Every structure is written in structure tokens, then in C-alpha cells.
Amino acid sequence: MTKKSVAYTDIYEYSQVSGAKWSPDGSYAVFTENRADEEKNGYKTCLWLYDKETGKTKRLTSSGSDRFAYWEEETGAVVFASGRPGAPKREGAKPEDPVTHLFRIFPDGGEAEFYFDLPTAGSLMPIKDGLFLVRSFEHALPEDERPKRKGYQVFDEIPFWINGMGVTNKKRPALSIFDRATGKLTRFTSPLFEAGGADISPDKTKIAFTGSELIGAKRRQGGLFLYDIASGKTETLIDPLTSCVDKAAFWDDGTLLIGINPCKDSHSASDLYRYDLTTRKMTKFPHDLAIYQTVRDGGLLYFCHDEWSHSRIGAMNSAGEIVYSLSTPGSVTGFDVKDGEIVLTGDRPNGMQEFGRVADGAVEWISAINDGYVASHEIIPAERFTFTNSDGVEIEGFVIKPAGWEKGGSYPGLLEIHGGPKAAYNVAYNHEMQAYAAQGYYVFFCNPRGSSGRTSEFADVTGKLGTIDYRDVMEFTDEVLAREPELDEKRLGVLGGSYGGFMTNWIIGHTNRFAAAASQRSISNYFTKCLTTDIGHYHNLTQMETDPWQGADVFWEHSPLKYADKCVTPTIFICSDHDFRCWFAEGIQMYNAIRRNGVDARLCIFKDENHELSRSGKPKNRISRLDEMLKWFDRYLKK
């Protein structure tokens, strides 16, 4: 069978798979499928079921708006949030009142049925006896104290907006207890408290959580707190004014694993500690690991962390010893552990996302949601290699050859640069890159210093943006050209988004080796980046190690806009008008700067999209974005 080329319009033909959660008895697991829907220009989500006895998976729900909530301990049913029909009208409720409709379905068959309403838009975790821990985004002011204004808004906090959430002035991530029997939602974090992560103790009597009061301006600092469910009282374990606690998870009823970030920079992994709730003493562990998603099982805490370009699932005992470690080929999008048995969703090697289980120390992939797409399309594997840069540091890189590649040929190429900078590329399927390769482009990409998966020292580009990272990317390009004689050095393009957009803007002001560029959701001016965006005043200021008044020269030195007058590279700028992370003013400034100097440029501003346009924007806009960039590169890079 002749395979089809990957097209950028294919986003309707494959799915993303995430979340994996064992049932209470370990007989089943549930996970989520998300697929772009052309008809509604949005996304459909549904739940899948894994049956441990048969070893097979099947679709469990199909409404297109189903999100897993929890397994019901007493009945073994799957409870999920959904926008499907069937929820009764709530007496006295206003149409604008937030609500989450919960439905229930049993794994052995039958129709889903409406179960109950959560009187807020949030997520919930079962505690016991019909009580739930709820995380939601709530107003800090009572309804009668909220300003009623038409035609304008008033802000008195920073940040006053957050990417993907819109205006957040006087709104907070809140923690509450919901009683299903009474329908009452009781908030236990104070109105101005910004809640972080939370975990329920194994005996279901306590909740450990992180966060701090947000009064006027967000701080990086945060404390550790313990909420007693029976008494409704909260105890401060670590003062939020003195620390930056960013994670907390129970090993057992009296022991926590906590993470405390140094807060002196923007790159370091959190220091990990054992916190004894009886003695209130902490023991520091020696690990330099940026861990995420923890799961408690058999006295161990399982966790994910990145190692070079792949994810690793590890397990740590309360003495801080890592007693288990499993490498996976790409990213893990969710996992769970039951009696030592691991199920997960994530990237297959050079394939797409699926559900699997761990057997004999390796991942056995079980679901076949994307197998049809893989079988019918020519997916070109990413070839991994490493090289040693001029500073003696080993750098990891990848190359995808163009479709139809022949020895002795001549092909254009595209250098892709990831966001972050604390992120990492891997060998997993990347639709955008595959679409470019299908159109005859080499696609090459690397994990320069600043990337995740290595040490905090490797990730440290604080105060160094545009220096060692730029050098790594340029030396990587030299290495690829030396390895791939068919890659035409005169027909190279460069592109990236977020930090990758910063680096693209930086590159076009420092070299003319690229014949075209695509700068997406970029950074051009650190004065405006720090003073307009949602993470500007606490994250980007830390990256600069100064502020605009004490270090104006530093801000300007690291701003790509300073070097825009040197740019000769034709560049397309892709922005979104609701991107509050890298506001579209950044792209506009760079566009105006190079355009007024006679450089060919094009500015595309996508309406009602945010920083996530390329990943979860409206499908038609995602396709238009790729179409704009591909036509731009074809214009300058193809003979």
C-alpha cells in the first residue's frame, strides 16, 4: 500500500491521548482521547477503558465533551464531567452561574446517567463519605462587592490577566470542600489566597497544600499548609513569606515529600525534602530532579521527571532513596500505579500517543487509537545524535530527513527552536515537523543549554539569554550541515515560538545565514515583556537578574529589538490577540522595526487565540498558521 504524505490539514485524523487512572480494585483503567473536530472547529473528548483481564481497550463514552473526574470507591463506577444533555435544570440558578455536570457510567456496560452537579467550574477529588476536595477559580470579592461597570474595566493587581484564563483581577485558584449530600461548597482558603497544589492524606483526615496570599502583586514565594477536614482548621507549616514551596505529596499519614524552589533564579529544580508532620523537621535529599505528577503506592511515591529528551518514571521511599526507574521514549502524558503495576499514556517511539502498561521493565503499548493514521502515512523517524560544543558541553540534537530523500540531492532545511527555554524536544511524533518534511524540507532541532532534562546548571541561562544558548544553536546548525551534505546551507529557515520566538528574533539580528524566518508568540523587548505580560513582573524579571530602572542597559542588551536594524532576513510574525504570556505587542514591535528598514515581513494576528494557538487553538486557525508559514518558507527557500 502506498502511504500518504503527512499534510498540515491532518490534525483531524489523529488523536492525543492522556491521563491514566486505575480503578479502586485494579481491574480497569480509564484514559482520555482528544481529537480536533472540523465541524465545530473545536475538540472532542471521550473516555476509553482498559480491561486488565482481557488486556484490551474500548471506547467508554462518546459525547465529545467528557472529562474524567474520579473512580467511585463504593460502586466501581467512572464519574466524569460532561456537557452532554441530561443534566436537570437547577432551581434558582442563573444562566451565567458556573456549574460542572457530573455523570456516572459503569465499566461493565450500560448508559451514562446524570449523577450530580458541582456548583462551580472546577475539578474534584473524592475524600470520603460524599466529601470532595475541589479546586476552582473563584472571585475574591462577594458578589455584592464586585464592581458593576459597563464599557470599561478597572485593574488593581499584577498580573491582572493570565494566558488562557483572561482577566483574573480579584480572582483566585481556590480550594473548597464539597458535600454531595447537601450540595454545599465550603471554601477553606481565604478570598485572596492563591492556592497551589494539594494532596489528601491516606487516612482521609488532612489536606496538605501550597500557596500564598496574593495582595496587589503576585510573588514567587509560597508556603506549606495543613487543613484538618474534621475541624475545618488550617495550620501553617512553612511561612509563605520566607519560602517558595511548590509541591507537597503524602508518603503516609505523617510524612510529606515537599519541593522548595530557591527562588533566586528561573531555572533551578526545586530542592526535595522529607517533612515529618510529628516532629515538624525537614530532611533534604540530594536529588537535582524537576519532578511532576506524583502517585502514592505501597509506601513509595512514584513520579515523572525528564532525563535528556525522554521522560522517566521513578519511585522514592521516605528515606529519599530512588528505588525504581523506568525510561520512556518520549513524554508521559499521565500515569498511575496500583500494587506496583504501572499504566500510562504517552509517546510511542517515533509514533504517536497511546495507552500502555509496564511489563518486565518495559512499556507494552496496548491501545491502537492512532494505528490507522500511522499505517497509512509516511512518518519519517527523527534521528537522534549528540555532539560536543566549543565549551565542551554535550548537546543533544535531531534530524528529520525530507520525504523522498536521495543521496546526492539538494534540499532546503528548517531549524526549529523550542519554547521555555526549560523544555526539551524528543523523538516522538511532531505533526508540524512531519508536515514540513513531507513538503521536502530537512527539519532539525536540538536541546541547547537552558533546556530541561539535564541538571539545574545546564538549564541555567539566567542573565545569559542570547549568549550560550545562541552559540549552541548555531554550532548545532554547523554540525547538521557537516553531517548532512544534502542540506543546502543557502536555503535554511529558522522558526520557533515563545522562547523559540525570542531566539528567532535574536538570530535574525545577529546573523544573515538564514534565508527566511518565522517568529511566533515571540519576545522582542524585555522592557515591555516584563511590564505587560502575565509572568513578566515575577518570572521574566528574575531571568534578567535586575529591573528596568537599575539595569536598563541589561534589559536592552538582551532584547532582540536592539539588533533589529541589523536584520536582513525576510520574516513572518505569528501572534495571537489574547496571548498574555508573550503579548502580541512583542511581535508588532519587531515587525515594525525590520519593515521600516526595508526587510520583507508579514504580520499575522490570530483573533481570539492565546499562547496555545499551535497546540490547542481552534483547528482551522492551527491549519491557517501552518499554511502561512509553509508558504513563506516555500517562497524563499525553494528554487
Side-chain angles (χ1 to χ4, degrees):
M1 180 181 75
T2 302
K3 291 189 175 183
K4 296 185 288 186
S5 297
V6 172
Y8 54 80
T9 54
D10 286 353
I11 63 171
Y12 302 115
E13 299 182 35
Y14 66 88
S15 297
Q16 294 175 309
V17 180
S18 63
K21 190 68 176 175
W22 278 116
S23 63
D25 65 359
S27 298
Y28 303 96
V30 69
F31 61 97
T32 303
E33 176 194 6
N34 185 315
R35 182 179 288 236
D37 179 24
E38 185 172 13
E39 183 178 349
K40 69 176 185 179
N41 195 23
Y43 296 87
K44 286 184 175 181
T45 57
C46 66
L47 303 182
W48 282 70
L49 187 76
Y50 164 65
D51 186 327
K52 182 178 176 180
E53 183 178 356
T54 65
K56 296 180 179 180
T57 61
K58 68 176 182 179
R59 193 188 302 273
L60 183 64
T61 70
S62 58
S63 81
S65 62
D66 305 325
R67 295 180 291 109
F68 175 76
Y70 64 93
W71 281 96
E72 192 167 45
E73 188 89 31
E74 305 82 5
T75 66
V78 177
V79 181
F80 60 97
S82 182
R84 63 174 60 204
K89 292 184 178 180
R90 296 183 300 146
E91 186 176 349
K94 303 173 185 176
E96 66 272 17
D97 287 348
V99 63
T100 303
H101 301 304
L102 280 303
F103 290 76
R104 184 170 66 168
I105 191 170
F106 291 88
D108 54 359
E111 296 292 330
E113 59 182 7
F114 173 76
Y115 198 21
F116 64 91
D117 275 339
L118 175 67
T120 188
S123 59
L124 71 172
M125 295 171 55
I127 302 173
K128 62 179 179 180
D129 303 329
L131 296 180
F132 297 85
L133 169 63
V134 174
R135 181 180 176 85
S136 58
F137 207 66
E138 304 290 348
H139 284 279
L141 299 176
E143 187 171 3
D144 58 354
E145 294 181 25
R146 298 171 200 165
K148 306 289 193 299
R149 299 184 180 94
K150 293 183 178 180
Y152 70 103
Q153 293 175 297
V154 173
F155 307 131
D156 57 6
E157 298 179 336
I158 53 173
F160 51 79
W161 55 18
I162 296 177
N163 182 70
M165 300 177 70
V167 171
T168 57
N169 200 76
K170 287 293 189 294
K171 296 178 182 178
R172 301 288 188 272
L175 298 176
S176 306
I177 299 294
F178 175 67
D179 187 334
R180 194 178 70 208
T182 64
K184 185 178 180 181
L185 185 72
T186 305
R187 183 171 171 176
F188 64 84
T189 53
S190 62
L192 292 174
F193 189 88
E194 187 176 43
D199 195 25
I200 303 168
S201 63
D203 65 4
K204 313 295 186 185
T205 63
K206 299 179 287 292
I207 297 170
F209 64 97
T210 64
S212 66
E213 297 281 335
L214 195 169
I215 301 175
K218 181 180 175 67
R219 298 178 294 111
R220 296 185 72 196
Q221 285 75 18
L224 176 66
F225 305 86
L226 192 67
Y227 175 75
D228 184 85
I229 296 170
S231 68
K233 294 181 179 179
T234 298
E235 179 183 1
T236 300
L237 302 180
I238 297 179
D239 190 334
L241 297 178
T242 62
S243 296
C244 185
V245 184
D246 60 8
K247 59 178 63 67
F250 281 97
W251 260 297
D252 53 47
D253 295 326
T255 314
L256 290 167
L257 172 69
I258 65 171
I260 301 180
N261 196 282
C263 273
K264 59 181 172 54
D265 51 51
S266 58
H267 65 272
S268 292
S270 295
D271 296 324
L272 300 177
Y273 293 82
R274 178 186 189 271
Y275 189 99
D276 190 309
L277 289 173
T278 302
T279 65
R280 298 297 196 260
K281 291 183 178 179
M282 298 192 304
T283 304
K284 186 177 179 181
F285 299 140
H287 313 300
D288 186 9
L289 299 174
I291 70 173
Y292 57 95
Q293 192 190 345
T294 57
V295 175
R296 181 175 57 248
D297 182 70
L300 300 176
L301 269 179
Y302 288 78
F303 57 88
C304 269
H305 70 97
D306 293 330
E307 183 176 83
W308 289 70
S309 61
H310 52 269
S311 292
R312 186 174 286 276
I313 296 175
M316 186 189 302
N317 62 24
S318 59
E321 300 166 326
I322 296 178
V323 297
Y324 176 83
S325 188
L326 170 77
S327 180
T328 65
S331 299
V332 173
T333 58
F335 82 101
D336 197 15
V337 190
K338 185 76 173 178
D339 298 328
E341 189 167 358
I342 300 172
V343 289
L344 71 139
T345 52
D347 300 320
R348 296 176 66 166
N350 289 321
M352 309 185 81
Q353 293 177 353
E354 296 290 354
F355 169 89
R357 71 182 187 96
V358 176
D360 299 323
V363 181
E364 174 192 350
W365 298 102
I366 296 172
S367 69
I369 294 171
N370 289 310
D371 279 9
Y373 184 83
V374 172
S376 60
H377 287 77
E378 182 186 4
I379 296 174
I380 304 167
E383 301 172 19
R384 178 188 178 273
F385 67 90
T386 65
F387 76 100
T388 302
N389 69 10
S390 58
D391 290 332
V393 179
E394 190 175 12
I395 301 296
E396 182 181 34
F398 308 84
V399 172
I400 300 174
K401 286 186 169 69
W405 179 90
E406 293 181 355
K407 188 175 179 60
S410 177
Y411 303 93
L414 298 175
L415 167 65
E416 287 239 24
I417 305 172
H418 65 60
K422 204 170 180 184
Y425 281 130
N426 56 42
V427 298
Y429 178 86
N430 182 299
H431 180 68
E432 177 175 326
M433 294 181 183
Q434 290 292 330
Y436 290 142
Q439 293 298 315
Y441 287 94
Y442 267 98
V443 184
F444 52 104
F445 45 103
C446 71
N447 294 321
R449 279 173 286 185
S451 301
S452 63
R454 309 277 287 273
T455 63
S456 293
E457 180 184 2
F458 184 87
D460 182 9
V461 288
T462 301
K464 308 169 191 173
L465 291 169
T467 60
I468 59 174
D469 47 354
Y470 170 68
R471 202 157 64 241
D472 288 351
V473 169
M474 291 299 97
E475 291 181 9
F476 167 70
T477 301
D478 294 336
E479 181 72 17
V480 173
L481 286 166
R483 287 171 174 264
E484 303 290 338
E486 287 76 17
L487 176 57
D488 186 349
E489 66 177 345
K490 296 193 180 301
R491 292 193 290 151
L492 299 181
V494 59
L495 68 158
S498 198
Y499 163 77
F502 158 82
M503 188 59 75
T504 300
N505 288 345
W506 186 270
I507 285 170
I508 62 176
H510 284 78
T511 179
N512 62 359
R513 73 184 301 178
F514 295 94
S519 173
Q520 308 157 68
R521 55 189 188 280
S522 68
I523 301 166
S524 64
N525 182 348
Y526 266 103
F527 288 96
T528 51
K529 176 67 173 80
C530 290
L531 297 175
T532 63
T533 67
D534 59 354
I535 62 171
H537 92 93
Y538 64 93
H539 174 71
N540 296 124
L541 281 173
T542 305
Q543 283 185 315
M544 293 292 101
E545 295 186 306
T546 184
D547 62 47
W549 300 272
Q550 303 301 316
D553 55 338
V554 174
F555 267 63
W556 190 232
E557 188 72 23
H558 290 279
S559 294
L561 193 63
K562 175 183 177 180
Y563 313 96
D565 62 330
K566 308 293 193 301
C567 174
V568 297
T569 307
T571 304
I572 185 171
F573 295 90
I574 305 290
C575 309
S576 300
D577 64 355
H578 286 177
D579 183 349
F580 304 143
R581 184 66 36 85
C582 293
W583 200 28
F584 71 129
E586 297 297 308
I588 290 173
Q589 290 176 83
M590 199 70 183
Y591 165 79
N592 278 324
I594 71 170
R595 195 76 179 85
R596 73 183 299 274
N597 287 330
V599 178
D600 194 11
R602 183 176 176 88
L603 175 65
C604 303
I605 301 177
F606 283 83
K607 183 176 172 51
D608 297 328
E609 295 288 1
N610 61 42
H611 197 67
E612 305 305 311
L613 166 63
S614 64
R615 296 176 282 260
S616 58
K618 297 180 184 67
K620 291 179 182 178
N621 284 342
R622 288 174 59 192
I623 290 171
S624 295
R625 165 187 166 270
L626 289 174
D627 181 61
E628 286 283 348
M629 291 194 296
L630 186 59
K631 286 178 178 176
W632 186 261
F633 285 125
D634 283 351
R635 176 179 171 184
Y636 287 99
L637 304 184
K638 288 193 172 179
K639 293 180 180 177

